[in-house]
Amino acid sequence: MKNPLESFDHLQAGMVVVLGVPYDENSSFMKGPASAPSRIRETLSSGAMNLCSESGIDLGVEPRFYDLGDLNLSIGAATFKQIEKGIADLLERKTYILSLGGDHAITYPIFKAFRKKYDKLCILHFDAHPDLYDEFKGNRYSHACPFARIMEENLAERLVQIGIRTMNPHQQAQAERFGVDVIDMQKWRPNKILGLTGPVYLSLDMDVLDPAFAPGVSHPEPGGLSTRDVLQIIQGIPGPIVGADIVEFNPKRDPSGITATAAAKFLKEIAARMVETGNWARNSPKLFC
Ligand code: MN
Ligand code: MN
């Protein structure tokens, strides 16, 4: 297969790159997130919003920001390997990567590649669901399982989950087994101290938002965070944020486009925070293993 990244040799160390990962074969209930990357890009370039972050970084002219387009993926057993390879190639170029899913299953192969590059990496995981099932409907690679795979392989230094509101006994047992820091919705308060130090990987499932803010997901769960809550947390991460994903946006459930707009907003703010914290990281070359 043609390497989708072969024409990007000009990428410089420290750049923040956007990469679409249009893959939703592991969605248990409803397909749709595979078309999210193109929908998010359409929204960003529609003229309805500009490309400035709230901190004043204009991604339209920022030389450290670059959209690579989508990873070229086949469907089937080889897909996870293709995702891992695509991410590993970009990490070789010492870039920071913001991936656009796709469903949440993609975080496992993405993070596998990150773990090979970074000795210690914490995950900040926004989600209504813990995604800690050992298997779901017979699929160990379901979008309900990525953090069980990541934690059982000891890939993450620490996993902090925010917005959880669907914990069941099996996943509670898994959370205890893996030592996951679960900040469920009942415990969450604005300005909660997360204690994240060092490099962070941010995984953002759009269903962490209350369905009032983001109805366009396959598994809406009322009682979630507001868009502003999530932005405040992202903007307060000391970083560096070395990798991130925005997953589970389902355009089929988003006739008004409000969820696409929220995802595009998160793209801008996460990318800007990556650029800002990347300045710090560029002065610490030891972060690159
Ligand atoms: Mn999820
Ligand atoms: Mn979810």
Side-chain angles (χ1 to χ4, degrees), residues 256-270:
S256 75
I258 183 176
T259 316
T261 310
K265 175 79 173 174
F266 289 150
L267 185 160
K268 287 200 295 183
E269 294 300 321
I270 293 171

Side-chain angles (χ1 to χ4, degrees), residues 41-64:
R41 288 193 183 95
E42 260 172 48
T43 303
L44 268 178
S45 61
S46 66
M49 67 201 313
N50 69 21
L51 288 170
C52 279
S53 73
E54 294 182 0
S55 62
I57 291 185
D58 184 349
L59 298 175
V61 296
E62 169 57 53
R64 286 166 292 174

Side-chain angles (χ1 to χ4, degrees), residues 30 84 108 122 129 144 173 180 194 202 228 232-233 249 273:
M30 181 185 284
E84 189 182 339
Y108 171 52
C122 296
H129 314 93
V180 181
L194 301 176
L202 196 160
R228 179 51 55 186
Q232 223 155 34
I233 297 168
F249 163 40
R273 195 69 194 139

Side-chain angles (χ1 to χ4, degrees), residues 104 125-131 143 166 205-208 219 248:
H104 220 153
H125 168 205
F126 293 87
D127 208 322
H129 314 93
D131 292 352
H143 68 158
T166 58
D205 182 325
M206 289 300 291
D207 68 32
V208 75
H219 302 270
E248 295 287 340

Side-chain angles (χ1 to χ4, degrees), residues 114-125:
F114 268 88
R115 181 60 182 81
K116 287 178 182 156
K117 195 72 183 167
Y118 291 93
D119 267 346
K120 292 183 176 178
L121 198 46
C122 296
I123 301 176
L124 180 57
H125 168 205

